[in-house]
Amino acid sequence: MMTKLTHIIVTIVYCLAFLHSSSQVLNVQAELNRNKCLIGDHLTLSLTLSKPLHSTISFPVLTDTITKSIEIIQKQNIDTITKENQQITLKQNFIITSFDTGLITIPPLPFVLKNDSITDTIYTNPITFSVYALPVDTTKQTIFDIKPPIGEPFSWKEFLPYILWSLLAILIIATAIYVYLRIKKNKPIIPIPEKPKDPPYVVALKQLHELKEKKLWQKQLYKQYYSELTDILRIYLEEQYQIPAMESLSSELIEHLKNRSFDEELVRNMQSLLTTADFVKFAKATPLPDENDWHWKNAVAFVEQTKPVMEEKNSESKGGEHD
Amino acid sequence: MNVGLDIKELNEKIQRESEFVDLIQMEINKVIIGQKHLIDSLLIAVLSNGHILLEGVPGLAKTLAITTLANTIQAKFSRIQFTPDLLPADLIGTMIYSQKTENFTVKKGPIFSNFILADEINRSPAKVQSALLEAMQERQVTIGEQSYKLDEPFMVLATQNPIEQEGTYPLPEAQLDRFMLKVIISYPTKEEEQRIIRINVAKEFPKANAIVSPQHIIKAREFVKEVYVDEKIERYILDIVFATRFPQDYKLEKFKEMIAYGASPRASIFLTLAAKAHAFIKRRGYVIPEDVRAICHDVLRHRIGLTYEAEAENITTEDIINEILNTIEVP
């Protein structure tokens, strides 16, 4: 059973020029369906306006709150209740609530009267209602921690785009670094596989035969002949035995050969070759034709007798297979 | 084998004219035990008209070596101890007023000798060092308004004390560049020092005899100039010097940040002259790469400036020169 908490606060009768009879009245009311509730519970506030039919009076403009403690949850449209004898009664309902405990007061709400020459405001009565909190027995009730956020289940689908973008970024960065390093080292960006190199002794023997065919000393180009002859041997020693021959003096080179325990005669012949080459290169010496040929033969003999034994066997066995 | 006709003749001439070198070395070896490198360097400098900067701890026969060399070639020798209060006039001489004649007369300083031992040159202030270095360059000094030519052969042997740094005035790089060679003297071997002990205990100091005259040395310098240097050797010398300036061009990028400045063109000139002199004392009429190698450290070690990075990493000029020689192809 609903208790009606009707309080008529103000009944003002204006004797206005535009009213045709003294029986026409203006009346405003504010009512609550209950005068107490639990915290957060809903209450219905009804605003009623009774006015002459042709008068212009506007309802209070309420948005989402009435006061700091009273929130409007739902606002209903203005409804016509009665309409008779040039008198009309209008009503608007609001669903309100409060999250503060204690005695809460709805303040007087303004209805604005507008006429050609007059503007005035009529207020409703203030209404008070009580808000109660749920009783908690702290002696029996234990305190609980705030519940953590609810975790979403892991999904690969959600992470897949991030993983793919990261992999793409890593790929692009790695490619950029690779290209930069290749360019910096003056190498082709896409490496071209090199042909397997011939063993140093094969190269040396080939170059020695090419040198002979050039017939340099026969053309009086002794300096070029001995420079090329010694260079072939120096490169051979460097690549085959890792002796820093190109940067060594003739005397140092002979010391290296002696330390490698090569055949004494080979070393002696090599020393003779290097000495002759130094004479030719630095003292414009002109060796005899026999001497030039003898040094060439010694150079070939040096390479032949110092080439690695294993490689020779391998090459022989390969040759046998072909036969 | 026929050595090119000109070179063959030159080689024979050099062999003939350089005979005295062996005799000088024999005489010096009578007095100096060990220090073969120092003696060779002295001969190279004398024969190629250069000056030597010596670095080594005291007591390594620096003074004895140059005195003995002076004796063997009948040259005058002066030893000047450089001190912080030494004045240029103490070195080159001054004008003295004679009350008797009522005239200024010239009093020549100790620099008027053939061989000068400028001991601890870095103990004197810059103005004295400049006076000496100017005399080394110009081969003459000016006292009052008169210029006086210095005696030939003229060679300065300056020593720097590497141990004490306090109260010294290190030579600026531009002045160091005027020394043809910077020779580092090391301690004698055990055997050599044993012989030194015996000689000193017995107080039987051998004396070097005069072998040649100063005029003979001046004549020998002309023969040294004639020693043949092939274009290949010249290119080898240039490669070495340029490697100190642009190491990155010789696969020595690691030294790019270590070298503040490379060797000057004087280095190329002195490398060639010293290599010729080395070939001469080896009694050869042409230069071979061994000659360049033999004098390379002495010519270059004071001409390469190191950066703080090099000092922080304990890289020395010796390391740089060694690496350059091990990298550049021998002709």
Side-chain angles (χ1 to χ4, degrees), chain B residues 72-74 211-218:
Chain B
T72 57
I73 60 177
Q74 300 171 50
I211 302 295
V212 286
S213 63
Q215 286 69 36
H216 199 111
I217 294 295
I218 293 163

Side-chain angles (χ1 to χ4, degrees), chain A residues 223 227 231 234 244-252 275-276 278-288 291, chain B residues 1-5 7 11 228 230-233 236 286-290 293 325-331:
Chain A
K223 206 168 174 175
S227 292
D231 281 354
R234 281 171 191 266
M246 292 303 282
E247 297 81 27
S248 297
L249 302 170
S250 302
S251 52
E252 288 171 344
T275 308
T276 306
D278 279 354
F279 273 122
V280 175
K281 287 193 281 184
F282 310 123
K284 296 180 181 173
T286 311
L288 300 169
E291 214 174 349
Chain B
M1 181 174 60
N2 291 324
V3 175
L5 202 59
I7 304 289
N11 208 34
Y228 175 70
D230 193 80
E231 198 190 339
K232 275 175 175 278
I233 298 288
Y236 183 50
Y286 55 92
V287 174
I288 56 172
E290 273 86 344
R293 281 272 183 102
L325 293 179
N326 289 335
T327 307
I328 290 178
E329 288 182 9
V330 175

Side-chain angles (χ1 to χ4, degrees), chain A residues 16-30:
Chain A
L16 298 171
F18 63 89
L19 295 174
H20 296 292
S21 77
S22 61
S23 64
Q24 288 180 326
V25 290
L26 187 61
N27 189 14
V28 292
Q29 277 185 44

Side-chain angles (χ1 to χ4, degrees), chain A residues 21 25 50 88 147 160 181 189 216 225 227 245 251 272 293 304 311 315:
Chain A
S21 77
V25 290
S50 184
I88 187 165
K147 283 190 176 179
L160 197 62
L181 291 175
I189 293 168
L216 290 174
Y225 175 74
S227 292
S251 52
S272 168
D293 207 38
E304 288 283 4
E311 285 189 30
S315 61

Side-chain angles (χ1 to χ4, degrees), chain A residues 96-138:
Chain A
I96 61 166
T97 189
S98 178
F99 294 98
D100 285 343
T101 53
L103 201 63
I104 310 285
T105 302
I106 299 172
L109 299 169
F111 284 76
V112 178
L113 169 69
K114 277 188 182 173
N115 204 348
D116 293 340
S117 57
I118 303 167
T119 300
D120 207 343
T121 308
I122 309 161
Y123 288 95
T124 61
N125 54 311
I127 306 169
T128 306
F129 64 97
S130 300
V131 179
Y132 298 96
L134 281 169
V136 178
D137 185 357
T138 53

